[in-house]
Amino acid sequence: MTSTALDTRIALASAPGAEWWRSAVIYQIYPRSFADANGDGLGDLRGITSHLEDLKTLGVDAVWLSPFMTSPQKDAGYDVTDYCDVDPIFGTLADFDDMLAAAHERGIRVIVDLVPNHSSDQHVWFREALAAAPGSVARGRYLFREGKGEHGELPPNNWESVFGGPAWTRVREADGEPGQWYLHLFDSSQPDFDWTNPEVRAEFRRILRFWLDRGVDGFRVDVAHGLMKKPGLPDYFPDADGGSMGGDAADVPYWGQPAVHDIYREWHEVLAEYDGDRALCAEAWLPSIEQTALWVRPDEMNQAFNFAYLETKWDAAALRAVIDASLAAYAAVGAPSTWVLSNHDVVRHASRLALTAENPQGTGIGPNSPGKPIPEVGLRRARAATALMLGLPGSAYLYQGEELGLPEVINIPDDARQDPTWFRTDHERYGRDGCRVPIPWVADAPAYGFNDTGATWLPQPAEWADLARDVEAADEASTLSMYTTLLDERRERRLGAGSLEWLDSPAGVVAFRNGSVTVLANIGERPVAVPGGRLITSSGSLVDGLVPVDTTVWVETD
Ligand code: NOJ
């Protein structure tokens, strides 16, 4: 694309009343697995900078970077020790500034990940808290409590960690005796902050300003639904074992507490101090779309991930229902809906959509998992699902590697796995490593071009040579070519800012119009007719002039 066309694109997206994030396609970069400039096996910021041109060619509007701040990496960077610096494994603040400038030069906006629910246990505040006495100011920044039982030997309540095991860990006090307990909804190395403490709130306003001053376009807010806990920290008895990031059940005393909205109203005001459209996107796994939409009221966040959409089965009726419910719930609060199919916490959709057994979020797939997907079925469905998603109005999130059709990596050796879930469940849940394997750029190169040394923090499967970007870029029928076409057509036709009109369709078919484009996804059992008009693109080949099963077409209609 010429730079003039790019300028036009930015100008359009930034026109008054049409903030860029309302219709943007936002590409998630998981820095440790994107590209590795220094060859140590972990991706880095300079690696990202070196591939921004590829993302421009792909046609995304923005990138979201998973955490690259200083961290002991116990949870792949979601355990931060210094929120205002770059971890040396990823580079330096200067590398960040270079990356940001290079992205902006190309018309790509940059969102960074903020982790406010918890810090690392190596954070200076937590180290101070451990060294301080019960009841001290330092302990008051986290959730320390006395234990139950005669000698405080039982945890303060029965909450369980998202990663498995108890959500409390007991500390040793200065006299060497077992003492108070601290809360960690995730790993024991991730103590939860006490967000009723004004000092915590002030610190995060400072952190927001630090990155806004550097020029970032917004924040993806980690565990945005978890910051406030129900007063008194009551026991919780879940009905069933739902997905691990929370939110299938109402009334969970640590998810979605009403008081959390005040925090984001404060943050909204901080962002409003800055020019341009800076955006906040909530990672909030909540029980209903209506509840999630409350997070994007006009004075709070701008977006929330649509996990209800991500979790919807490959089923026409279910997809129609979730799309309807999303459009209605977000319209009611004046926000666009978002759409997402993959991220670094879920089984990649090229595998997930062909699973034949239940697989709650966080379980992952490994050699002993039931219902493993047939790869060809998964890829066909993934391409059809993406073509359906990118036809919808609103903002869409992509996860690095999905544009190559990467599947979940199933055969990671046990001793290479790194997700805390794997360890905290005694290897019962494989966890999320399978969607985090470094992505392939060049078929015939060390580590498939991830770096030039061949080192990778998780092993890459041999089959990925065929899925490398250079191979796919040269193949018009590849998944990469399909994504590039879809993004180009979506942008040209302004589908993100469009609206949806359902079309009558048989069971098993999802069909709608968005502007001049008819999108039809065949999720049924037999081929169906192509809608009248000019075929723009198809997620798979037509057969005898019909749309085969697990295929989506875009057709131009007048
Ligand atoms: C959600 C993040 O996406 C996930 O990767 C992380 O483990 C948890 N939050 C804890 O920060």
Side-chain angles (χ1 to χ4, degrees), residues 405-535:
L406 296 187
E408 187 82 355
V409 181
I410 296 176
N411 293 315
I412 298 177
D414 284 1
D415 59 5
R417 292 193 181 271
Q418 307 215 8
D419 186 349
T421 310
W422 169 248
F423 299 104
R424 289 186 63 90
T425 61
D426 281 336
H427 302 186
E428 190 189 313
R429 289 192 229 152
Y430 287 104
R432 304 158 296 173
D433 290 322
C435 64
R436 298 176 171 182
V437 172
I439 63 173
W441 296 92
V442 181
D444 187 17
Y448 303 128
F450 171 64
N451 56 26
D452 55 16
T453 61
T456 57
W457 71 280
L458 284 172
Q460 299 165 301
E463 313 84 78
W464 279 18
D466 294 341
L467 298 173
R469 182 166 301 248
D470 67 334
V471 172
E472 294 207 18
D475 174 4
E476 278 181 7
S478 71
T479 305
L480 179 64
S481 298
M482 182 196 80
Y483 269 73
T484 310
T485 303
L486 291 171
L487 291 174
D488 195 38
E489 298 286 348
R490 177 185 162 92
R491 184 171 52 251
E492 290 302 317
R493 293 157 200 278
R494 310 204 58 213
L495 299 186
S499 58
L500 176 141
E501 180 197 338
W502 289 116
L503 299 175
D504 283 342
S505 51
V509 170
V510 178
F512 60 85
R513 267 184 83 135
N514 182 353
S516 63
V517 178
T518 293
V519 176
L520 181 147
N522 183 2
I523 310 174
E525 287 169 2
R526 58 190 65 84
V528 297
V530 181
R534 184 182 73 80
L535 185 68

Side-chain angles (χ1 to χ4, degrees), residues 75 78 118 163 186 220 222-223 283 344-345 432 436:
D75 183 23
Y78 284 94
H118 45 265
F163 292 156
F186 294 88
R220 175 267 189 191
D222 188 61
V223 199
E283 189 230 9
H344 66 292
D345 289 327
R432 304 158 296 173
R436 298 176 171 182

